[in-house]
């Protein structure tokens, strides 16, 4: 018997599209925090944010040093004997750093509408930035957080590239394969039986009762009508819990964009993570959302 899998196909499209958007969001964060760090460095603010490109910051730091723009205590001894370059040199090096940062911004802007070549460009560019950081700073306890955040960005850029090619290999949504699990269709001129229609609109099965005693983190929860909806994480597993029952789950050490779905009493309930926010939707409408970058 033929089967209608258009809903599953549409869900796959949405998952891969969301992963691509998450990849671009991480790239935009690199641009924002790099620009902030360059500004803080230029005004000698004793503050530095992670999620920043290294090479633009390093070039500006060199310009600050050789032009004597750091506080006197930075130079320790021999300040009187040092010959500093003109401030125009610092301006030139700052402009070079800004141009490098703008290249990331250009890659983010141009990678819209699935132009994955610009994400690949950003990956190569940021990979060079990471190698430069490791070569200059080495691997040390002080540099560990910078290394981890560089690895984080590289991971999500690769995730976005993979998602693009997986999405490209999927058939168009309107040409999705027919399968009887989602909608009854006429096959060879005959309608599906009423029993099949009942099966199609039946509620999602319960996986198990949610264990209230297990250690867990509530990512988001909402009560609507007669439904207590809870989106939670237990160890390495994200769960959709409705009225104390687990309806869908997703296991993974590192969270990427995803959606968990359940159908109850004709209502479609979904929870998930889109790369920046946790969300709960009811019949297609977002009823709860919470910012969660990491």
């Amino acid at each position: 018997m033929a089967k209608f899998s258009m809903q599953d196909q549409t869900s796959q499209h949405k998952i891969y599209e969301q992963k691509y958007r998450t990849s671009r969001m991480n790239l935009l964060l690199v641009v924002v925090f790099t620009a902030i760090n360059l500004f803080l460095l230029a005004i000698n603010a004793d503050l530095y944010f992670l999620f920043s490109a290294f090479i633009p910051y390093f070039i500006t730091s060199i310009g600050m040093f050789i032009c004597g723009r750091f506080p006197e205590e930075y130079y320790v001894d021999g300040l009187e004997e040092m010959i500093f370059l003109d401030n125009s040199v610092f301006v030139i090096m700052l402009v070079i750093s800004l141009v490098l940062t703008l290249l990331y911004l250009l890659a983010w802007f141009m990678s819209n509408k699935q132009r994955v070549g610009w994400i690949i460009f950003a990956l190569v560019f940021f990979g060079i930035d990471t190698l430069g950081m490791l070569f200059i700073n080495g691997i040390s306890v002080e540099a560990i957080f910078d290394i981890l955040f560089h690895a984080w960005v590289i991971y999500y850029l690769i995730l976005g590239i993979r998602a693009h090619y997986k999405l490209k290999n999927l058939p168009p949504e309107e040409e999705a394969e027919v399968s009887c699990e989602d909608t009854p269709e006429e096959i060879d001129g005959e309608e599906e039986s009423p029993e099949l229609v009942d099966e199609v609109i039946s509620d999602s099965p319960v996986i198990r009762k949610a264990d209230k005693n297990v250690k867990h983190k509530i990512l988001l929860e909402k009560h609507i009508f007669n439904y207590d909806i809870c989106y939670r994480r237990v160890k390495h597993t994200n769960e959709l819990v409705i009225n104390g029952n687990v309806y869908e789950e997703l296991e993974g050490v590192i969270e990427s964009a995803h959606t968990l779905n359940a159908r109850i009493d004709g209502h479609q309930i979904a929870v998930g993570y889109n790369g920046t926010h946790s969300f709960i939707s009811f019949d297609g409408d977002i009823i709860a959302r919470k910012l969660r970058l990491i």
Side-chain angles (χ1 to χ4, degrees):
M1 184 181 293
K3 297 197 167 188
F4 192 73
S5 61
M6 183 171 285
Q7 185 177 0
D8 292 340
Q9 193 66 60
T10 301
S11 176
Q12 289 256 313
H13 275 82
K14 288 181 178 178
I15 289 172
Y16 292 141
E17 286 170 356
Q18 185 56 59
K19 286 183 177 181
Y20 187 79
R21 286 194 294 269
T22 301
S23 178
R24 294 186 68 241
M25 176 60 69
N26 278 273
L27 180 57
L28 181 59
L29 289 175
V30 169
V31 175
V32 171
F33 284 111
T34 302
I36 292 174
N37 283 338
L38 290 178
F39 172 75
L40 294 174
L41 178 62
I43 64 172
N44 269 317
D46 190 18
L47 190 61
Y48 174 82
F49 290 98
L50 296 172
F51 236 96
S52 171
F54 170 79
I55 291 177
Y57 190 85
F58 179 73
I59 291 174
T60 303
S61 298
I62 295 297
M64 293 279 290
F65 180 81
I66 62 179
C67 294
R69 295 181 61 89
F70 283 123
E72 291 185 8
E73 58 269 20
Y74 187 88
Y75 298 92
V76 194
D77 298 322
L79 180 62
E80 298 81 6
E81 301 174 4
M82 295 188 68
I83 300 175
F84 296 113
L85 300 180
D86 189 79
N87 267 331
S88 60
V89 176
F90 164 72
V91 173
I92 292 171
M93 299 186 81
L94 178 59
V95 168
I96 293 172
S97 298
L98 291 174
V99 169
L100 294 176
T101 306
L102 287 174
L103 287 176
Y104 288 111
L105 182 62
L106 178 66
W108 171 80
F109 180 78
M110 296 299 293
S111 62
N112 195 19
K113 298 182 180 179
Q114 297 292 325
R115 287 178 285 199
V116 73
W118 286 96
I119 295 292
I120 296 173
F121 165 79
L123 174 62
V124 173
F125 207 51
F126 199 75
I128 294 171
D129 186 271
T130 304
L131 291 175
M133 179 186 67
L134 293 175
F135 178 77
I136 294 170
N137 286 349
I139 300 176
S140 62
V141 175
E142 293 80 8
I144 193 66
F145 284 109
D146 265 327
I147 294 171
L148 288 175
F149 273 95
H150 270 68
W152 171 283
V153 173
I154 288 173
Y155 169 78
Y156 272 99
L157 290 176
I158 293 173
L159 201 68
I161 294 168
R162 290 184 59 194
H164 167 82
Y165 286 110
K166 287 184 178 180
L167 181 64
K168 193 175 179 180
N169 290 331
L170 287 176
E173 294 181 59
E174 61 271 14
E175 297 177 8
E177 181 186 353
V178 177
S179 129
C180 63
E181 291 180 356
D182 297 308
T183 2
E185 289 282 336
E186 289 189 6
I187 302 175
D188 298 330
E190 296 183 5
E191 278 193 14
E192 294 287 353
S193 65
E195 291 81 9
L196 179 57
V197 176
D198 291 339
E199 181 184 344
V200 169
I201 62 174
S202 62
D203 289 350
S204 300
V206 174
I207 298 177
R208 62 180 176 276
K209 276 281 187 184
D211 188 349
K212 296 180 181 179
N213 299 318
V214 70
K215 185 177 179 181
H216 64 277
K217 177 182 180 182
I218 295 178
L219 304 174
L220 199 59
E221 57 185 350
K222 184 75 173 178
H223 178 83
I224 183 170
F225 300 135
N226 296 320
Y227 307 105
D228 288 315
I229 306 169
C230 178
Y231 174 40
R232 69 178 194 170
R233 185 166 176 82
V234 181
K235 293 183 180 179
H236 302 313
T237 303
N238 289 41
E239 296 179 342
L240 165 57
V241 180
I242 304 172
N243 293 340
N245 296 317
V246 179
Y247 280 87
E248 192 172 5
E249 60 184 8
L250 178 68
E251 186 175 355
V253 176
I254 299 177
E255 286 186 89
S256 56
H258 62 273
T259 304
L260 306 179
N261 298 277
R263 184 180 180 87
I264 301 179
D265 303 328
H267 297 292
Q268 190 69 32
I269 299 172
V271 302
Y273 173 59
N274 63 11
T276 57
H277 291 79
S278 296
F279 65 87
I280 297 177
S281 73
F282 189 85
D283 287 339
D285 296 323
I286 300 294
I287 59 173
R289 195 169 69 156
K290 181 179 180 183
L291 181 65
R292 186 163 64 94
L293 289 177
I294 300 176

